[in-house]
Amino acid sequence: MTWSFTDSAAAFRIAAAEHLAADPARNTAVLTLMDRAGRLGWWEEADGTVTGVLAVTPAGVPAFGAMTEEAARALALPGGLPGEQPTQVGGETAAVEAYAEATGRPWTPGVRLRLFRLGEPTPPDPAPAGTARLATGADVPLVAAWTGEYAVAIGEEPAEDHTGFVAERVSEGRLWLWEGPDGRPVSMAAVSRTIEGQVRLHLVYTPPAERGRGYAAGVTEAAGRAALDAGTPQVLLFTDLANPTSNALYQRLGYRPVTDHLRVAFTGLTR
């Protein structure tokens, strides 16, 4: 039983193809990172079966895909993870905790997330006033500003210029807006590119002054339904478990839990 690593997405796809295809939802983070990761890894059992995968983000954070706790603990052994000891690790909760404990390093839990998958879409009830539409180039300045506000709300750096990030999603028809009764955009949601038959909803945001009117539910339902209508087999999204409002909302819209995720931060080297 061993971990193997490569910086070739093509080699990784071949080695881990069966494992990735068996449960693309649980491997969504790795699949999303695959073509831009600094490092990719897979864990093989004695019979050659792959039962774990990971990708190292461009920022150097290992993102665990579906893996056994044994595979996670093996990463903590000397030489288990290539390079320096990571300052953070994220992935499915059981695997991340198994790895963190096995390192012997002091660590603290960070954000806890839940991965959801859309089953039967259910329109919000009551329906919010207004309608959904795809964003256009004229909306980019407003949506870029909202993206900065969203970044602050989730604890990320607000100073980045989000224009290019937003323009890419708008030009590819992946960013939806909800227009209120007066025709003004009041909420947004985006979807990722389709990878291995799945998309992930993200950038679900409503400015504070427009909240409490169901606009986020309207735009989320519209974006998810459009992805399914376009033939995408799986529509996924992550929610913060500390936010019971959003977790309840997505379940009312037809999303069902898949698995829980955790990011941990290490506060020192090996004890």
Side-chain angles (χ1 to χ4, degrees):
M1 297 178 289
T2 184
W3 276 99
S4 300
F5 295 92
T6 182
D7 57 4
S8 166
F12 176 73
R13 286 177 187 272
I14 293 170
E18 189 172 329
H19 180 73
L20 294 170
D23 201 337
R26 289 182 60 202
N27 288 306
T28 183
V30 173
L31 288 166
T32 301
L33 290 164
M34 197 160 46
D35 292 317
R36 57 190 179 90
R39 205 73 171 157
L40 296 155
W42 64 96
W43 169 261
E44 285 184 290
E45 301 290 343
D47 62 359
T49 303
V50 174
T51 58
V53 291
L54 66 82
V56 180
T57 73
V61 178
F64 293 177
M67 70 172 66
T68 64
E69 292 182 33
E70 180 184 20
R73 284 190 287 268
L75 288 167
L77 297 174
L81 265 175
E84 297 180 1
Q85 293 181 338
T87 58
Q88 296 183 65
V89 169
E92 291 192 354
T93 300
V96 168
E97 290 181 338
Y99 168 78
E101 288 294 334
T103 65
R105 299 168 62 190
W107 58 277
T108 57
V111 62
R112 294 183 182 273
L113 304 173
R114 179 159 291 161
L115 177 65
F116 285 87
R117 175 169 43 217
L118 181 58
E120 183 64 31
T122 305
D125 184 17
T131 186
R133 67 167 173 85
L134 281 170
T136 69
D139 299 307
V140 168
L142 172 65
V143 175
W146 282 359
T147 302
E149 295 172 15
Y150 172 83
V152 173
I154 63 173
E156 294 183 354
E157 283 293 329
E160 182 181 347
D161 181 359
H162 299 283
T163 301
F165 175 85
V166 166
E168 177 185 76
R169 283 152 178 76
V170 171
S171 67
E172 295 177 358
R174 297 192 287 112
L175 201 148
W176 289 80
L177 295 174
W178 190 266
E179 288 187 340
D182 60 1
R184 291 182 306 107
V186 291
S187 190
M188 69 175 179
V191 295
S192 68
R193 292 173 179 155
T194 303
I195 300 174
E196 302 295 327
Q198 61 181 274
V199 298
R200 278 212 317 268
L201 262 73
H202 59 288
L203 282 184
V204 180
Y205 180 73
T206 305
E210 307 293 350
R211 293 174 188 170
R213 300 177 177 87
Y215 297 147
V219 73
T220 298
E221 194 273 336
R225 186 180 293 274
L228 291 180
D229 289 347
T232 306
Q234 295 195 88
V235 179
L236 309 172
L237 60 78
F238 280 104
T239 65
D240 186 341
L241 282 173
N243 187 337
T245 300
S246 63
N247 282 272
L249 165 64
Y250 295 131
Q251 291 183 79
R252 290 197 300 271
L253 297 177
Y255 286 86
R256 298 295 176 258
V258 177
T259 186
D260 288 354
H261 279 236
L262 171 68
R263 177 172 286 201
V264 302
F266 294 98
T267 55
L269 299 179
T270 304
R271 290 195 291 260

